[in-house]
Amino acid sequence: MTQSLISQYHFLAEWGGSRIDFLEISGLDIVVEIVPMRSGSSPEESEIKIPGLTRFKDIVLKRAVKVGDNEFYNWIKTRSFGSIERRDVTISLLNEKQEPVISWRVKNCFPSHYIGPVLISNDSQLATETLILTHEGFSVEHF
């Protein structure tokens, strides 16, 4: 069975907004906490390690600023008295035919941090904005 390698530069995120053209997406990380433990009656002078809670890192969506597009800002502004609009987000790595080959299905996302562009007078780079999403886990699907 031959496996083909996939480039990281062709992807999209379906996040409930109209624009899916992102410059960068990061944070698809799972971390299992390590809990050190030692019984008081153990003859060993070292601890054993057991798996603890599973934690999911925040997901970072970065894109170019576009005139008239305020969707990142509008989503984070849905926060009101302890609630905020939650969305499921799907991030897909695409092949050369624009078809998903791997998708990360992220559940119950909400924005926890909006970062506007850094404005520099002598720089010609694109203005970018960033939205950091907190979530309750994801699953990975291969096609």
Side-chain angles (χ1 to χ4, degrees), residues 65-114:
V65 172
K66 201 177 245 186
V67 174
D69 179 7
N70 218 17
E71 290 180 331
F72 271 9
Y73 177 77
N74 290 341
W75 188 11
I76 200 166
K77 292 300 290 178
T78 64
R79 185 195 167 283
S80 175
F81 298 107
S83 68
I84 195 164
E85 179 185 343
R86 291 176 180 256
R87 301 177 185 175
D88 289 341
V89 172
T90 301
I91 299 166
S92 297
L93 194 54
L94 307 175
N95 65 15
E96 64 280 350
K97 297 176 188 171
Q98 305 278 0
E99 303 164 331
V101 290
I102 302 173
S103 288
W104 292 263
R105 300 194 188 284
V106 190
K107 58 185 180 183
N108 289 328
C109 299
F110 64 90
S112 60
H113 194 158
Y114 170 82

Side-chain angles (χ1 to χ4, degrees), residues 26 58-65 72-73 76 111-119 127-133:
S26 62
D58 289 341
I59 293 177
V60 180
L61 305 175
K62 187 174 189 177
R63 68 181 187 178
V65 172
F72 271 9
Y73 177 77
I76 200 166
S112 60
H113 194 158
Y114 170 82
I115 304 168
V118 175
L119 308 173
T128 61
E129 63 181 347
T130 303
L131 194 64
I132 299 176
L133 303 178

Side-chain angles (χ1 to χ4, degrees), residues 13-27:
E14 297 168 281
W15 62 284
S18 61
R19 284 183 53 209
I20 58 174
D21 54 329
F22 292 94
L23 300 171
E24 181 180 322
I25 299 174
S26 62

